[in-house]
Amino acid sequence: MNEKLIKIGAIIATRGLNGEVKVFPTTDFVDDRFYVGAKMMLALKNEVKLLVTIASISNVKNILAIKFKEINVIEEAEKYLRYDVVIKRSQAKLPKGFVFDDELIDLDVVTTEGVYVGKVKEVLTYTPQKTLRVGRENLSDVLVPIVSEFLIETDLDKKQITIQVIDGMLWKLQS
């Protein structure tokens, strides 16, 4: 498969005997990605193992309980524990003003005063809001929550993110 895949969730457990799985969603657009009839893929290390269609879905404490048409017994579901749920990038339409997480990797991060902070190393998704891990030269990484109070501008053409710094956010800046 040549087209880029986008991770939208991860299978974290089985549920019941009929092949239902629990999925931790990693997308900001859960309702747009996960619905009855939605087609997606199960992948391990970006290698697609199974094409699936959602037969039923429920949301329990931000974990999705999903029954795929193609998986009908617990033994089959267990084979896919810790697999990623992915879709083709062309299926992943975004509203205006949003970007894919992978587009943020390697962007330069500067303060509103123009001081260089570092480069985005990864986007963390296990917190209440997504967080940028910014690598700094000869200093420890800094974490920047992706919220409007801190993230002022993302310019993909300039390959730059501008952040608002508060006291204590950056222990020490490079000059």
Side-chain angles (χ1 to χ4, degrees):
M1 176 170 293
N2 294 336
E3 189 172 355
K4 177 112 171 110
L5 300 176
I6 303 292
K7 179 179 175 181
I8 60 171
I11 296 177
I12 58 171
T14 59
R15 181 177 181 218
L17 299 175
N18 67 348
E20 198 172 31
V21 293
K22 292 181 180 180
V23 174
F24 176 75
T26 57
T27 176
D28 292 329
F29 308 100
V30 174
D31 294 338
D32 294 336
R33 309 281 189 248
F34 294 97
Y35 54 88
V36 173
K39 296 185 182 310
M40 50 201 56
M41 298 162 275
L42 305 183
L44 187 61
K45 297 179 182 171
N46 275 336
E47 184 179 329
V48 173
K49 300 292 184 176
L50 183 66
L51 302 173
V52 292
T53 304
I54 295 179
S56 67
I57 185 168
S58 61
N59 191 333
V60 182
K61 296 182 182 177
N62 298 322
I63 300 295
L64 304 175
I66 298 177
K67 172 70 178 85
F68 294 114
K69 289 180 181 177
E70 297 77 9
I71 301 174
N72 295 302
V73 294
I74 190 171
E75 293 81 9
E76 184 70 16
E78 287 173 338
K79 293 178 187 177
Y80 297 102
L81 286 176
R82 290 179 286 289
Y83 272 57
D84 291 333
V85 179
V86 299
I87 58 176
K88 294 178 183 177
R89 189 174 198 134
S90 61
Q91 289 178 265
K93 303 297 183 215
L94 292 177
K96 185 176 174 150
F98 287 85
V99 298
F100 291 107
D101 290 351
D102 66 341
E103 292 178 300
L104 300 174
I105 306 301
D106 289 329
L107 294 187
D108 291 330
V109 177
V110 298
T111 67
T112 51
E113 292 80 30
V115 177
Y116 178 77
V117 177
K119 284 193 179 290
V120 176
K121 290 170 68 173
E122 66 179 318
V123 179
L124 306 172
T125 59
Y126 53 80
T127 59
Q129 71 281 324
K130 291 184 179 182
T131 303
L132 299 176
R133 177 181 297 279
V134 180
R136 301 187 294 170
E137 203 169 306
N138 300 321
L139 294 169
S140 59
D141 294 350
V142 64
L143 300 178
V144 179
I146 301 179
V147 294
S148 59
E149 292 83 6
F150 299 120
L151 204 72
I152 304 304
E153 181 183 33
T154 301
D155 189 329
L156 295 179
D157 293 329
K158 287 184 181 177
K159 298 186 183 279
Q160 180 176 291
I161 295 173
T162 303
I163 63 169
Q164 176 67 48
V165 177
I166 60 171
D167 288 341
M169 183 182 226
L170 306 174
W171 290 61
K172 187 175 174 187
L173 274 176
Q174 299 153 302
S175 35

